[in-house]
Amino acid sequence: MRRIMVAAVAVPLILAGSTGTANADTPSTARAVFSHNLLGASSFAQSGTSIRVTGLYSGLKPNRAYFTVVYGNGICDPAQAFPVGPFWTNQNGIATLDTTVTAPAGLVSGTMSMSVRRGDNQTDIDHDGKKGPTDVVAVPGHPSIGLIECNGHPTVG
């Protein structure tokens, strides 16, 4: 059984960036479709502090780790990121994700962009001292490092 980890990077910033008027107890959703560097979609549905994250992805590298991420900014900058993963592709570069994680209430309503990012490897691609597929490749202030695809206009409701 694979274990899904949540790596919360600057979670308070994503909350501070929220422009929504939704009450923290009101269910909220964020969904993004990807069609340039991969084919697929990510969906975050939050009620209180519980977030169900689902996804279906294809066109990725086979047998690799990836994360799906919501951001409090519109450019997929990890300075305001909440990544969920890792999830792994099969031998055909296809992956599914269906997990529930805990996060601060109101996090999803503050989503301004969403992405899929690669998991790290033993070379520590982002030089953060963490190695291996359970670490998302992300460098605050450098959105392109580790980014597979960014959707700067997710549907948030």
Side-chain angles (χ1 to χ4, degrees):
M1 177 177 213
R2 292 185 201 147
R3 185 174 179 176
I4 299 292
M5 301 175 72
V6 178
V9 180
V11 171
L13 292 175
I14 196 170
L15 294 172
S18 175
T19 58
T21 58
N23 181 308
D25 294 328
T26 304
S28 58
T29 60
R31 184 172 195 280
V33 174
F34 306 104
S35 60
H36 298 289
N37 298 320
L38 70 137
L39 295 176
S42 293
S43 179
F44 286 67
Q46 182 169 18
S47 181
T49 60
S50 180
I51 301 175
R52 181 169 181 211
V53 184
T54 57
L56 176 61
Y57 315 94
S58 66
L60 296 168
K61 292 190 178 182
N63 305 310
R64 299 268 175 97
Y66 293 90
F67 290 76
T68 187
V69 187
V70 292
Y71 304 84
N73 56 60
I75 58 171
C76 296
D77 186 335
Q80 297 179 0
F82 185 80
V84 176
F87 59 87
W88 282 266
T89 55
N90 66 15
Q91 66 275 8
N92 298 314
I94 298 170
T96 60
L97 175 62
D98 188 350
T99 191
T100 300
V101 297
T102 302
L107 183 115
V108 171
S109 65
T111 299
M112 296 180 70
S113 60
M114 293 175 70
S115 77
V116 171
R117 290 186 163 276
R118 64 186 290 192
D120 212 343
N121 61 30
Q122 291 304 313
T123 66
D124 191 17
I125 298 165
D126 54 5
H127 306 289
D128 64 357
K130 301 173 190 169
K131 298 178 181 180
T134 60
D135 178 42
V136 64
V137 177
V139 178
H142 300 279
S144 65
I145 297 174
L147 184 69
I148 302 301
E149 186 168 335
C150 176
N151 182 318
H153 303 286
T155 303
V156 179

